[in-house]
Amino acid sequence: AIPSAPPMPAAVSRRQMSTLGAGDDIEIDDVAYAFMASQALFTALETGIFDAIAAAGDGGLKLEELKAASGVNAPRMQTLLTSLVALKSLRRSADGHYTLSPNTANFLVTSAKYYYGDYLRYQMGRQFYHRMGALPDVMTTGVAPSYASWFSDPEVAATYTKAQHNGSVATAKALVKRLSFE
């Protein structure tokens, strides 16, 4: 038998319903909406938004400056930037300048020592993310795409290899920092 849920407090809003008794239980909204956050992050990496802000220095860039610096003049740029601020990958000052969070500066700017954005862009964003959309069909039919068919396309294989290398380099750098070679 499925255990019954605790009674819901009268003051709980619809948004909070999925987080009753937080802690060791699923945060339903966090999981359900995570794809939007992932897409915002992948888009920022693909369009060079983080690199453009990093190149501007500590003062950051305003919206129009960022459009010019990144070459992205999309009407939804403000929406994307607002999402990135909500994700804490960017910070927005009172006067409208966007700057990088420390983790974004350290891991998502191509010139950063510990950059692993290519792994996220290529492996997660371009390959696995799209493949996961077929998971319901795979589970109900039992038919899954094979790696052999997937890698028969040289471009896909090269992208996968580049992403794996980039992810491994980031892991190797972290490992080297923890080991003593004396």
Side-chain angles (χ1 to χ4, degrees):
I2 298 174
S4 62
M8 199 159 42
V12 172
S13 72
R14 184 176 192 284
R15 177 76 177 149
Q16 294 171 327
M17 285 175 50
S18 66
T19 58
L20 286 176
D24 63 352
D25 202 353
I26 185 173
E27 296 286 346
I28 296 169
D29 286 340
D30 290 352
V31 174
Y33 292 104
F35 79 97
M36 292 181 194
S38 298
Q39 287 300 327
L41 181 73
F42 300 150
T43 300
L45 287 166
E46 290 284 347
T47 58
I49 288 172
F50 299 142
D51 288 340
I53 294 171
D58 292 340
L61 295 172
K62 287 189 169 189
L63 173 64
E64 293 305 319
E65 296 168 328
L66 185 50
K67 285 180 175 181
S70 66
V72 177
N73 196 18
R76 296 286 183 188
M77 177 67 104
Q78 181 65 66
T79 303
L80 176 61
L81 295 176
T82 300
S83 298
L84 294 168
V85 169
L87 295 172
K88 301 178 185 174
S89 63
L90 294 182
R91 298 189 172 142
R92 185 177 185 273
S93 67
D95 68 350
H97 281 86
Y98 292 93
T99 57
L100 304 173
S101 75
N103 279 340
T104 299
N106 288 326
F107 302 110
L108 301 177
V109 173
T110 57
S111 61
K113 183 176 181 179
Y114 300 108
Y115 175 69
Y116 73 101
D118 282 346
Y119 175 77
L120 298 173
R121 285 176 56 203
Y122 297 126
Q123 187 90 54
M124 304 306 294
R126 291 187 187 178
Q127 292 184 321
F128 289 148
Y129 204 87
H130 298 289
R131 300 247 182 250
M132 290 303 292
L135 188 57
D137 291 335
V138 169
M139 298 308 295
T140 58
T141 66
V143 177
S146 72
Y147 277 99
S149 66
W150 191 20
F151 295 136
S152 65
D153 178 338
E155 186 176 331
V156 170
T159 298
Y160 182 88
T161 301
K162 183 176 182 177
Q164 283 295 309
H165 172 75
N166 189 269
S168 298
V169 167
T171 302
K173 286 179 180 179
L175 184 59
V176 166
K177 284 180 71 174
R178 292 187 174 148
L179 294 176
S180 172
F181 293 101
E182 295 178 8

